[in-house]
Amino acid sequence: MTELDPVIHAQARLRVVASLSALNVGDKIAFPRLQELLAMTAGNLSVHLRKLEDAGYVEISKTHRGRTPATLVGLSRRGRLAFEEYTESIRALLDPAQSKEQP
Amino acid sequence: MLAGPPSSTLYRKVVCVDLDDDSPPTDAAAALRLIQHQRSATARRLDPDARLLYWPWGVAWLVGFGLFFLRFSPGDRALVPLPSWLPLTVLFVLLASAGAIQAVVSVRAYGQVTGESAQRGRWYGYAWALGSVSVYAGLGRISEHLPHDLAALLWSATAVGLTGALHMAGGAVWLDQDLFRLGVWISVINVIGAIAGPGWHPLVVAVAGGGGILVAGALARRRQRQRQQP
C-alpha cells in the first residue's frame, strides 16, 4: 500500500492544506480569513499551522497593515508538492488504473 | 497507512506529529471528498461571481451609449428629443457605479489575500488609471477644435479602443480567455463603429459592445461554475 504523508493525512490539516492549495501560487491569505473559510477556532488552526510550518509545508509571515499586525499564511513550494503527491496517492488507491491519466 | 516511511529523517517527523489530536480520514474516498469539497468551497469564496464583474459594465455601455445614439443620431438628428446633457451624464454615472461595484466585490473576495495576484491586480489598475489620463489629456487638447460629432467619435472610439486593448492585456496577465476574447471583440467592433462613422459608433458600441460584455459575463460565470464543481 502507498505510504501517505502523515502530516497531511489528518482531517483538519488536510482541510487546511486543501484550502491553501486553492490560492494561486505565490499568494498568502490573512489568518482570520483562513479561519473563517475553515470554520476553525483560532487556537485549533494555530496548532495545525505550527505543525505544517514545522514540516516546511506552510509559510507564515507577520506583517503590518497600517497599524494593525497581520499574519499571512501560504503554502510553500514543498507543501504544494506534498499536497499534490498526497492527492495523487489517494487517487491511486481509489482507482489504480486511472491514476496515471489524471494528474 | 500511518506507518512512517523507511527513511530515518522522515520517520522522525512522524514521531514529532502528535497523531491523537487529528484523526485521519476514514478511507481514501473520504479523503478525496474532503479535498474536493474544501478546494471548491475555498474557490467559491475567493472568486467573486463573474457576473458582478462583467454585467454592470455591459449595462452601462448598453444604456449609456444607447442614449447617446438616440440623442446624437446619424445625420445630426435626434431620434428621441432628450436633453443634450442626459446621455453623457447617464453614461458616466453608470460607469462609476460599475467601477464601485467591481471595487466592493473585489475587496470582499480578494481583500484578505496578498501576494502575486494582488500585485498583478494593482498594476493592472494603475495601467487603467494612468493609461486613461495620458490618452485623454491629448484628446482634450484636440477635440475642442473639432465639430461636435467628430469630437464625440474621437472620444468614444479612443476610450473603447483603450478598453479593448486593456481587456486583452488582462487576459494575457491572468491567462483568462474570456477576458482576452472580450478584448478582441471590443477592438473589432470599435473598428467597425469607427468606419461606420459619427452617430453610428455609439449604436455599435451599445448593442455589440454592451451586449458582448453581457455575453462574456454569462460565459465566464459558466466556466467558473464548472471550475468550482466539487
Side-chain angles (χ1 to χ4, degrees):
Chain A
M1 186 173 274
T2 327
E3 298 290 352
L4 290 170
D5 188 332
V7 181
I8 300 182
H9 189 57
Q11 292 186 53
R13 282 192 295 278
L14 182 55
R15 288 185 62 219
V16 174
V17 173
S19 250
L20 291 175
S21 78
L23 296 178
N24 291 322
V25 175
D27 280 356
K28 289 189 170 178
I29 188 166
F31 184 92
R33 182 84 163 120
L34 180 64
Q35 194 194 327
E36 178 206 323
L37 288 175
L38 292 164
M40 283 186 185
T41 64
N44 205 354
L45 180 56
S46 297
V47 169
H48 292 303
L49 283 178
R50 195 165 310 128
K51 284 180 180 165
L52 289 166
E53 193 184 21
D54 287 344
Y57 288 177
V58 302
E59 286 164 350
I60 297 173
S61 52
K62 305 225 182 249
T63 174
H64 282 268
R65 281 189 167 182
R67 283 187 181 176
T68 41
T71 304
L72 299 172
V73 186
L75 215 51
S76 69
R77 188 188 292 263
R78 193 170 154 193
R80 196 168 283 272
L81 193 68
F83 173 70
E84 281 162 11
E85 279 173 0
Y86 177 84
T87 310
E88 178 61 24
S89 313
I90 291 289
R91 285 193 197 280
L93 283 172
L94 286 172
D95 191 351
Q98 272 201 355
S99 67
K100 285 281 183 278
E101 294 158 27
Q102 285 189 334
Chain B
M1 275 191 196
L2 284 170
S7 137
S8 66
T9 41
L10 283 177
Y11 180 70
R12 223 172 294 134
K13 201 166 283 156
V14 175
V15 175
C16 304
V17 174
D18 178 8
L19 294 172
D20 295 332
D21 71 321
D22 191 6
S23 57
T26 45
D27 55 38
L32 192 61
R33 267 201 309 277
L34 194 152
I35 290 171
Q36 287 167 340
H37 172 78
Q38 197 62 51
R39 277 177 60 88
S40 65
T42 306
R44 260 200 309 279
R45 301 282 293 279
L46 295 180
D47 230 3
D49 188 331
R51 288 172 299 188
L52 289 174
L53 299 179
Y54 282 86
W55 285 2
W57 298 104
V59 170
W61 283 32
L62 199 61
V63 176
F65 283 104
L67 289 177
F68 211 91
F69 170 75
L70 294 176
R71 174 61 181 81
F72 303 102
S73 316
D76 263 344
R77 287 176 307 143
L79 287 175
V80 178
L82 300 165
S84 61
W85 53 265
L86 187 76
L88 213 54
T89 309
V90 170
L91 179 64
F92 281 141
V93 167
L94 289 177
L95 287 177
S97 314
I101 292 172
Q102 174 148 21
V104 169
V105 168
S106 305
V107 166
R108 270 176 41 192
Y110 317 120
Q112 300 294 309
V113 178
T114 52
E116 288 174 17
S117 303
Q119 182 79 329
R120 286 172 200 228
R122 229 173 4 249
W123 287 0
Y124 187 59
Y126 295 158
W128 274 93
L130 195 57
S132 304
V133 169
S134 80
V135 163
Y136 300 148
L139 282 193
R141 300 293 300 276
I142 300 166
S143 63
E144 55 192 80
H145 304 293
L146 289 176
H148 176 268
D149 61 338
L150 282 181
L153 177 63
L154 181 68
W155 275 95
S156 54
T158 309
V160 173
L162 183 66
T163 305
L166 282 168
H167 275 84
M168 284 193 280
V173 170
W174 286 283
L175 289 179
D176 179 337
Q177 49 180 323
D178 296 314
L179 204 55
F180 186 82
R181 284 177 183 163
L182 179 59
V184 171
W185 174 251
I186 289 173
S187 305
V188 169
I189 62 122
N190 192 37
V191 171
I192 293 171
I195 292 170
W200 294 108
H201 185 265
L203 177 66
V204 174
V205 172
V207 176
I213 297 175
L214 295 177
V215 171
L219 291 177
R221 178 59 184 164
R222 204 176 63 176
R223 203 184 300 282
Q224 192 174 41
R225 290 185 87 104
Q226 285 165 356
R227 207 169 46 233
Q228 292 172 353
Q229 211 87 161

